[in-house]
Amino acid sequence: MSDTSARLLRMLSLLQARRDWPGAELAERLNVTTRTVRRDVERLRELGYPVRAALGPAGGYRLGAGASLPPLLLDDEEAVAVTVGLRTGAASGVSGIEEAALRALTKVEHVLPSRLRHRVQTLEEAMVAIPPRGGPTVDAAVLTAISAAIRAAETLRFDYAGHHGGRSTRIAEPHRLVAWGRRWYLVAWDADRAGWRTFRADRISLRTPNGPRFAHRDPPGGDVAAYLRRSIGHEVWPYRSRLRVYAPASRVAGRVDGIVTPVDDETCVLELASDSLELVALAVGTLGVDFDVESPPELARHLRTLSARFARAAGRRRR
């Protein structure tokens, strides 16, 4: 490869890695003069890369969006991350994206150098992927349209299928899309109800066109993830449990998928939401700590039933 061709590829890689590059800094990174940088930019433009230039003391170069996606130049770590990410995306909860992820994965693996192919194969051999449970999927076009409305700060109009099957027409200011497990949720300000709401993306049927522009509000409670946990736990899941756990909050947090609130240095409150009491019992059982059931009474009865069943099993002797 000629010095010029190698330099052009290096410049393209730099332009893809950062939004703006001052001409002098590009010249320093490439070990050439600013005049050579200008010539190389013109060569990239002739090849179809939309490199834009800004004049003045703060001026520089930026790779813009073109009519087609230019080849991406990845370093070793980026190439491994993209390969593993595409393999994970092939088993996502977004309908239509699995096949596209597999096609992209095939292209990437085909051009991986042998040293990187070995690293990827080592990772794949060391990992065991448990296929996700079947469940609702969301159309990739819906996620794309919602994301575009969030970026443009445009009000969304959509039909929504509620948890109990009822349908309603909603007008909302979209704030964030959140992926949780195999499900996607939209956190938005409901204009008709004048409050924050959480919507399952797979239950949204968008109407067009979008509504008027709006000014983004501060996220609910300052933390979208925490709000989503609370809103889902109190409004969506059929079983909601509250436990007093006799262990520090730091020992419980992160071990189960719930809300942990410290009471004192040795006690905390754990709130769990689930599809069944069996899953709640399983989650609490993995903690290995003492606890009291504050609610619901059905959970306490279920745990007593389990306790008796386990006691009978432990008392039986093999013949």
Side-chain angles (χ1 to χ4, degrees), residues 12-139:
L12 184 58
S13 177
L14 292 173
L15 291 171
Q16 289 176 345
R18 209 170 79 187
R19 182 175 176 83
D20 293 294
W21 280 94
E25 189 173 349
L26 265 181
E28 181 180 353
R29 294 290 292 270
L30 296 170
N31 197 27
V32 296
T33 65
T34 54
R35 182 178 180 182
T36 300
V37 167
R38 289 194 296 271
R39 287 202 302 265
D40 287 347
V41 166
E42 288 302 320
R43 292 189 178 100
L44 287 177
R45 289 169 175 164
E46 291 171 359
L47 293 172
Y49 294 98
V51 182
R52 298 189 173 91
L55 303 177
Y61 297 98
R62 173 187 301 180
L63 185 62
S68 59
L69 181 68
L72 297 177
L73 301 178
L74 307 174
D75 62 28
D76 287 4
E77 300 300 326
E78 292 169 342
V80 171
V82 167
T83 304
V84 174
L86 286 172
R87 189 168 295 279
T88 303
S92 71
V94 182
S95 63
I97 205 172
E98 295 91 344
E99 182 181 349
L102 285 174
R103 292 201 308 269
L105 179 64
T106 301
K107 293 178 181 179
V108 172
E109 288 187 333
H110 181 70
V111 297
L112 280 179
S114 59
R115 67 181 186 280
L116 297 185
R117 188 175 295 110
H118 175 72
R119 287 177 59 183
V120 172
Q121 289 174 349
T122 300
L123 278 172
E124 293 173 351
E125 291 171 0
M127 296 186 300
V128 176
I130 299 178
R133 299 180 187 177
T137 58
V138 57
D139 193 330

Side-chain angles (χ1 to χ4, degrees), residues 204-222:
I204 291 176
S205 299
L206 293 173
R207 293 189 173 200
T208 55
N210 291 341
R213 301 283 297 271
F214 64 91
H216 277 292
R217 303 170 188 268
D218 292 333

Side-chain angles (χ1 to χ4, degrees), residues 193-240:
R193 292 158 179 80
W196 290 100
R197 294 292 187 274
T198 301
F199 304 96
R200 281 242 315 251
D202 59 282
R203 295 175 176 171
I204 291 176
S205 299
L206 293 173
R207 293 189 173 200
T208 55
N210 291 341
R213 301 283 297 271
F214 64 91
H216 277 292
R217 303 170 188 268
D218 292 333
D223 188 333
V224 171
Y227 168 78
L228 181 65
R229 287 180 182 274
R230 290 189 177 275
S231 63
I232 289 178
H234 289 83
E235 297 175 12
V236 178
W237 298 106
Y239 293 95
R240 300 181 293 276

Side-chain angles (χ1 to χ4, degrees), residues 110-182:
H110 181 70
V111 297
L112 280 179
S114 59
R115 67 181 186 280
L116 297 185
R117 188 175 295 110
H118 175 72
R119 287 177 59 183
V120 172
Q121 289 174 349
T122 300
L123 278 172
E124 293 173 351
E125 291 171 0
M127 296 186 300
V128 176
I130 299 178
R133 299 180 187 177
T137 58
V138 57
D139 193 330
V142 172
L143 294 181
T144 301
I146 294 175
S147 300
I150 292 173
R151 182 173 182 178
E154 292 179 345
T155 303
L156 283 177
R157 302 184 306 118
F158 56 91
D159 296 322
Y160 189 69
H163 180 62
H164 299 290
R167 298 189 67 85
S168 59
T169 300
R170 315 299 279 266
I171 299 176
E173 300 172 1
H175 180 72
R176 286 292 184 275
L177 274 171
V178 183
W180 190 352
R182 281 178 58 84

